[in-house]
Amino acid sequence: MQQPKELGFWMCTALVVGNTIGMGIFVLPASLAPYGFNAMLGWGVTVLGMTMLARVFAQLAREFPAADGPYTYIEQTTGKLPAYIAIWCYWVSCWITNAALAIGLVGYLGKVLPGLDAVSPVVLATALIWLFVGINLLGVRTGGGVQIVTTVLKLLPMLFILGLGAWLLLTEPSVYARHVPATPITLEALMAASTIALFAMLGIESAAVPAGRVRDPEKNIPRSTLFGTLLMAVIYIGVSAMAMLLLEQEQLAQSSAPFADLLDQFVGAGNGRLLSVFVVISGLGALNGWTLLVSELTASMGRHGFLPQSVRRLNSRGAPWIALASTAVLATAMVLMNYSKSMVDGFTFLSQVVTAANLPLYLLCAIALVVLTRRGTRKLPGSLFVLGIFGTVYVVFAFVGLGREPFVWSLVLGAAGLPLYWFMRRRRASELP
């Protein structure tokens, strides 16, 4: 059965925005607080780097309008093995992301619905994973519709915080000078802050991954990728600056819910609790988006012969049901493994692995653009070569900033997929007449 093209501009944009805004931004200001103004400079570096990578994905989508995702971009420029390693690592990161989101959501659900505290967190996290499998089994259009609704809802608290900051700037500008961070600016602190911020920006490629289901991909993927990334950049920098300047540095660093504390302090006690509802909505939207994304990626890997062909099978609603079920099983297994740790430790560990696993895809897509400008059948502007070079440099910078352990994890994940690559390659060769 041929896959219907059901994703338009707004659904693609909702994937980019919805998958990028997960739960990280709601706690990120606390993680960045010890770095003071290094955090804002780090945000600047991250936004600049990720915007360059967004342009890389946008240009590759224009050059390969018939492609079904980043695998084709890399395969057509650097070869099958690099493409496989990048997609394998990214595929692993997607279902690990679902496990991390489910684990993180359980804590907030308990605050919104206190009665859920009596339910085992393992059961809740598993139920959340399978809930969105059920939604996406109804078809890409249903999953995309849910994504649009949850994306709009998760933007509301961010816009409210930006509005609060603008109102304070007009009515009481002196409040911004009361808690100026005193942390000195250093290169080491800037690099550390920028790599922490990087985790919150993962997902800019979300419109390109299900390219085979996108209408007019050469137009909709570039537009939604750039629009979604720039929208996230404005919101993230704005709300992070509000938290850093309006709350004391020590208070912010110790806060488990910085935006809730911000609302309690400047709007009134108790108002911050309402934010927990939007945190849950944000997490649910991200879980829905990544569920859709990983199922389409799994089906794509089946089409390219790197997973069994059965993962391509569609149900009557056009959803890849085996891909959805199999990745949900893997995410469930990851949830069970990480509940031997505390919830925070499990979420932190999975977040580090996800970040490391995303970088090979970003790196090889940037290199793909560099190669394309030199090998392409038509002459491309020299600015695209420069863009590819700067994108490559940024990913290398991110690898260095992440440190040794995440880098080792990216190597381990890449190596773990090689036996399957060689097995499937030999199997395909043996089936040839």
Side-chain angles (χ1 to χ4, degrees), residues 217-293:
E218 68 277 11
K219 294 180 180 179
N220 285 327
I221 293 176
R223 291 174 182 174
S224 59
T225 298
L226 290 173
F227 177 72
T229 301
L230 292 175
L231 178 63
M232 290 304 90
V234 171
I235 291 175
Y236 278 5
I237 292 177
V239 297
S240 296
M242 301 301 165
M244 183 182 70
L245 293 173
L246 295 176
L247 297 176
E248 293 184 17
Q249 188 175 14
E250 184 176 351
Q251 176 192 359
L252 182 60
Q254 295 176 353
S255 174
S256 60
F259 293 128
D261 290 345
L262 189 66
L263 293 182
D264 284 340
Q265 184 167 323
F266 289 97
V267 180
N271 285 282
R273 184 177 181 181
L274 180 63
L275 191 68
S276 295
V277 176
F278 288 97
V279 174
V280 169
I281 292 172
S282 179
L284 292 174
L287 184 54
N288 175 71
W290 285 107
T291 299
L292 187 156
L293 203 68

Side-chain angles (χ1 to χ4, degrees), residues 155-166 239 263 267 271 275:
L155 285 175
L156 292 179
M158 301 288 100
L159 296 176
F160 181 81
I161 291 167
L162 290 175
L164 173 64
V239 297
L263 293 182
V267 180
N271 285 282
L275 191 68

Side-chain angles (χ1 to χ4, degrees), residues 160-223:
F160 181 81
I161 291 167
L162 290 175
L164 173 64
W167 179 75
L168 289 172
L169 185 63
L170 292 174
T171 60
E172 194 179 353
S174 61
V175 72
Y176 282 95
R178 292 176 187 170
H179 310 300
V180 178
T183 305
I185 295 175
T186 64
L187 178 60
E188 181 181 3
L190 186 153
M191 290 184 69
S194 66
T195 52
I196 291 173
L198 172 61
F199 175 70
M201 289 292 290
L202 298 178
I204 62 165
E205 70 290 342
S206 296
V209 173
R213 306 297 288 270
V214 178
R215 296 192 302 270
D216 299 323
E218 68 277 11
K219 294 180 180 179
N220 285 327
I221 293 176
R223 291 174 182 174

Side-chain angles (χ1 to χ4, degrees), residues 21 30 48 53 79 87 108 118 150 164 171 220 235 280 292 316 328 338 363:
I21 300 182
L48 180 61
L53 290 175
I87 294 301
Y108 280 97
T150 55
L164 173 64
T171 60
N220 285 327
I235 291 175
V280 169
L292 187 156
S316 60
N338 278 274
L363 177 64

